[in-house]
Each structure stands twice: as C-alpha cells, then as structure tokens.
Amino acid sequence: MSIQVKFFASLRETIGISETQVTSVSTAGDVWDSATNNSERPINVLVAVNLEYAQFDSLINDGDEVAFFPPVTGG
Amino acid sequence: MSIQVKFFASLRETIGISETQVTSVSTAGDVWDSATNNSERPINVLVAVNLEYAQFDSLINDGDEVAFFPPVTGG
Amino acid sequence: MSTHISLQAFDPWRAIAEHQQQSALDKQFGATASFVGTMRDFNDSANVSRMVLEHYPEMTQHYLEQLENQAQQKWELLDSLIIHRVGEITPADPIVLIACWSAHRRAALDACSWLIEELKHNAPFWKKESGQNGDRWVEKNTDGL
Amino acid sequence: MSTHISLQAFDPWRAIAEHQQQSALDKQFGATASFVGTMRDFNDSANVSRMVLEHYPEMTQHYLEQLENQAQQKWELLDSLIIHRVGEITPADPIVLIACWSAHRRAALDACSWLIEELKHNAPFWKKESGQNGDRWVEKNTDGL
C-alpha cells in the first residue's frame, strides 16, 4: 500500500518535511509514527484523511492522503 | 399651552390630517382625543412625545410635540 | 458613527468602502459586519412594482443616532454606519444598510444583527406598496424568518 | 454558491457587488449579510508588519464548499460567497469575506455568523506573523471577543 502524507504550518517546520509516503499502516496514528520516525505527537495535532477531519484511530486504506497540522488560524 | 400634533402613514390618511395643534391637555391620550375629535383609537396606535416613544398616560407639557403612528415597517 | 437618510438610490457597497476610507479606522479594525435590506418584487404574494417609504424625519434621525450610541455601549465598536432610504423605491433598490467595525468579530456581527432588529421594530418608517392590486400600507414587519 | 481562494489582495465590497450582478438574484433577495475579516497591525501587543497565510489547498476548497452546502441546508439561502486570501498579506488587507443572500433577514444574518465561526474553527489555514520580534506562527484563533 502507498499512503501520501502531508504536514502543514508549524508542524511542517518542526518535522522538517512537507510531503512523504508511507506503507504498511493500519491507522492514522500509525501514519504519524511511520512518517515522523516515531516522533512524539504534540497533543494538539489535527489529522485529516482524504480532506476530511479524522481521528488517530481512523483506519487507513491504500491510496489515502493523510495530513497532519496544528490548530487552524484562518479567517 | 400649545401642543404640536403629528400623524403619520395610514393613520395620517385615516384621520385626514398630518399636523395640528391642541391646547388644554394633560396626557398623550388627551392629545389624541382633542386632535381627532374623540375618534376611536385603533388598538395598535403608537405615540411619541418629543421624538421618544411614550405611553398614552404620559404627561404632556406646554411646547411638546406629540406624534401618533401605526406599527413601523422600515428596514 | 454616522446616520444618513437618503432620498436617492444608494450603492451600499460603495457607501461602506467610502465610509471606511474617510474614517481613520485603517489598520485598527479586524472585523466588518454589514446588513443590506433590499426591496423585493413580491411581498405576501401580490406583485409589488413600486413602494413609497414615509418617515418621521426628526424622530428617525434622533432614534437612529440613539441606536448607534446604544450599540457602542453594548459592544466594543470602532465605528458604525446606518443608511436608510426614504421616498419612492423600485424593486432591487437597497432600503437599509447597517455596517459595524470592531477589532474582533463578535462585536461587529452581534451589533449589526441587533441594530437591524431594533431598527425594524422601532424606527419610524412606513412602507406603502403599489402593485397590481393598487396601493396598500404594509401593516407590520415580519419577524425576519 | 461560490468559494474562491485569492492569492492577490481583493476588494470585498466590489466582490460582493460583482457577485450580485453576475448572479440571477435580482429582485428576489431581500437581505444580504456580510462579514469581512481584515488584517490588523497589532496582535497580542507585538507589532505585526506582515503575515503569510498558508493553507492546505485541496482541503480548503473542499471544506469551504461543504460549509456552504451545510449553510444552504440549515437556512433558506438564495446564494453565498466565500473569499479567503492566502500568501503574503500586509496590514489593512482583507483576509476573508463571507456574504449570504436570502429572502428574509435572519437566514442571511445567522448563516453569515455561523459560516465565519465554522471557518475560523476548522478551515485549514495558518497564519505566520512577521514583526519586530521576528516571525511566529499564530497558535490559535481567538473566540472572537
């Protein structure tokens, strides 16, 4: 399987990558662990799967896009 | 004493006058009676004394302006 | 704070832009909320082709200025603008504009919503509609729903 | 319904006027409510001279269109428009515009208020401010008060 992973804003800068790919994951939490090399997950990180907000225990399918980002500050 | 009296909108048309003067009144209700020749007062008539909403038992002083009008429909 | 009664048609968006330019608000406000009420060509199903808006000029001005003062006391507004049309009005003409400026969004939004409700319920304006069924005074304002 | 992400500065009042002209709304709507969020030159007391707005483009578009759909389901809206700026922003620049059109006032006012709250809480945009103390990511949005 191939999962597209994206990081945004301060999280992108902290992690040091904006996009990567991972394989062999079952949940969004696994995606984080795999993409960040098991970095500690800040408590306020948000996750979206295929452009929709999701949970860290949400199941991931082949071809999904998973994005991690800090609290939003638009508007 | 001299009280300026005004009628607006549908009430102006019903009463048939837009401005008049009355004397010797003590309340806004007296102003209505005097200015309309004791016409029956429609239940929804509003009254303003010196540009502020008032009651029909509000006391009237010499020089006051008293206005009667139907429910407002602006905006 | 500013209240205008307009005998002519007005462009609400241009009015907001011009008011903003003329005031010294630049770079201090973070939020602008506005409401524009426009004449529709139907009301209670009878076609309406024209409308005359009557008002009580001295009280209108006094009442609207009081409203703006009250809004300033209730919310942290940096500025507000009310324009209300009177006289002969045709469909699609703007009738009323309310605009509120504040540092943060809730003040502007809540004040704008409050101002239009107060104006609708109490400001001394009266609409007389002309349509295929002749002229008639609008009897009361709707609750906005 | 329309959602735009704008890389350039935009004039919110002209955008509303143009949207209204292009749509077939004429004579049907009685109410327009709008909200404009503007960059202020101060935030948490540190002078801010510039800002960069980052977003998650695909999700932003998707999220804002969903919001407009939800608003249409919750209220009787005739139309809505959302414009959000991204990229480099300087003080006094408009950041976000929300406009709602309806027959009666409460739908437009309530939908507009709801849309800006939802957008502020959930739309994937992030602000990075530059000022005399260097650059910093804004950590969270205020509650609007």
Side-chain angles (χ1 to χ4, degrees):
Chain A
M1 80 196 289
S2 170
I3 311 298
Q4 193 70 22
V5 189
K6 296 182 174 182
F7 297 92
F8 289 96
S10 58
L11 203 59
R12 174 175 48 72
E13 292 184 351
T14 313
I15 303 290
I17 41 175
S18 75
E19 285 198 49
T20 184
Q21 269 137 31
V22 299
T23 53
S24 314
V25 291
S26 97
T27 67
D30 295 342
V31 176
W32 172 275
D33 292 340
S34 178
T36 68
N37 205 10
N38 293 304
S39 294
E40 197 182 340
R41 205 170 72 208
I43 197 158
N44 60 2
V45 170
L46 300 169
V47 58
V49 176
N50 298 333
L51 314 181
E52 300 273 359
Y53 280 102
Q55 306 298 321
F56 280 93
D57 60 4
S58 297
L59 295 177
I60 302 299
N61 298 306
D62 189 23
D64 282 353
E65 172 170 309
V66 180
F68 300 101
F69 45 80
V72 302
T73 56
Chain B
M1 82 196 286
S2 171
I3 310 299
Q4 192 71 21
V5 189
K6 296 182 174 181
F7 296 91
F8 289 95
S10 58
L11 204 57
R12 174 174 49 70
E13 293 184 351
T14 313
I15 303 290
I17 42 175
S18 76
E19 285 199 50
T20 184
Q21 270 137 29
V22 300
T23 55
S24 314
V25 291
S26 95
T27 66
D30 295 342
V31 176
W32 172 275
D33 292 340
S34 178
T36 67
N37 205 10
N38 292 304
S39 293
E40 197 182 341
R41 206 171 72 210
I43 198 157
N44 60 2
V45 170
L46 300 168
V47 59
V49 176
N50 299 331
L51 315 181
E52 298 274 358
Y53 279 102
Q55 305 298 321
F56 281 92
D57 60 5
S58 297
L59 295 177
I60 301 300
N61 297 305
D62 188 22
D64 281 355
E65 173 169 310
V66 181
F68 301 101
F69 45 80
V72 303
T73 55
Chain C
M1 288 197 311
S2 185
T3 291
H4 301 290
I5 302 299
S6 179
L7 278 155
Q8 270 96 43
F10 68 98
D11 178 335
W13 315 115
R14 179 174 295 187
I16 293 176
E18 283 175 4
H19 184 84
Q20 214 168 267
Q21 274 174 351
Q22 284 159 17
S23 71
L25 283 172
D26 254 30
K27 305 188 185 178
Q28 287 179 49
F29 67 93
T32 313
S34 79
F35 176 82
V36 175
T38 306
M39 184 183 166
R40 297 186 303 143
D41 66 353
F42 54 89
N43 198 1
D44 294 350
S45 331
N47 275 0
V48 173
S49 56
R50 203 178 66 95
M51 192 161 76
V52 174
L53 242 157
E54 177 173 332
H55 73 137
Y56 179 1
E58 299 83 2
M59 184 171 170
T60 305
Q61 189 70 27
H62 173 70
Y63 179 79
L64 294 179
E65 285 170 5
Q66 255 183 352
L67 265 197
E68 284 192 293
N69 278 322
Q70 286 173 33
Q72 295 255 2
Q73 278 155 28
K74 289 166 86 86
W75 290 279
E76 294 209 11
L77 293 183
L78 294 165
D79 202 357
S80 60
L81 170 64
I82 300 178
I83 301 180
H84 202 294
R85 180 82 181 279
V86 293
E88 261 196 48
I89 297 178
T90 47
D93 278 4
I95 294 172
V96 62
L97 161 67
I98 291 178
C100 295
W101 287 265
S102 60
H104 301 288
R105 68 184 180 280
R106 289 305 337 159
L109 286 161
D110 293 346
C112 182
S113 179
W114 180 84
L115 282 166
I116 185 59
E117 291 300 328
E118 293 293 314
L119 185 154
K120 279 262 182 188
H121 286 108
N122 299 312
F125 294 98
W126 301 275
K127 292 185 180 120
K128 190 181 202 175
E129 297 175 340
S130 304
Q132 56 196 24
N133 304 331
D135 293 358
R136 62 160 209 133
W137 289 97
V138 177
E139 284 181 16
K140 65 195 278 282
N141 268 338
T142 65
D143 58 5
L145 300 178
Chain D
M1 288 199 310
S2 185
T3 292
H4 301 290
I5 302 300
S6 178
L7 278 156
Q8 270 97 43
F10 68 98
D11 177 335
W13 316 115
R14 180 173 296 187
I16 292 177
E18 283 176 2
H19 184 84
Q20 213 167 267
Q21 273 174 352
Q22 283 160 17
S23 72
L25 282 173
D26 254 30
K27 306 188 186 181
Q28 288 179 47
F29 68 95
T32 313
S34 80
F35 176 82
V36 175
T38 306
M39 184 183 166
R40 297 186 302 143
D41 65 353
F42 53 90
N43 200 0
D44 294 350
S45 329
N47 275 359
V48 174
S49 57
R50 205 178 64 96
M51 192 161 78
V52 174
L53 244 158
E54 178 173 333
H55 73 138
Y56 179 0
E58 299 81 1
M59 183 171 170
T60 306
Q61 189 70 29
H62 174 68
Y63 180 79
L64 294 179
E65 284 169 6
Q66 253 183 354
L67 265 197
E68 285 193 292
N69 278 322
Q70 286 173 32
Q72 295 254 4
Q73 277 155 27
K74 289 167 86 85
W75 290 280
E76 293 209 11
L77 293 184
L78 293 165
D79 202 358
S80 60
L81 170 64
I82 300 178
I83 301 180
H84 202 294
R85 180 80 181 279
V86 294
E88 261 196 46
I89 298 178
T90 48
D93 277 4
I95 295 172
V96 62
L97 161 67
I98 291 178
C100 295
W101 287 266
S102 60
H104 301 287
R105 68 185 179 281
R106 290 304 338 158
L109 286 162
D110 293 346
C112 182
S113 179
W114 180 83
L115 282 166
I116 184 60
E117 292 301 327
E118 293 293 314
L119 184 154
K120 279 262 180 187
H121 286 107
N122 298 314
F125 295 98
W126 301 274
K127 292 185 179 121
K128 190 182 203 173
E129 297 176 339
S130 304
Q132 56 196 23
N133 303 330
D135 292 358
R136 62 162 207 129
W137 289 97
V138 177
E139 283 182 15
K140 66 195 276 281
N141 267 338
T142 65
D143 57 7
L145 300 178

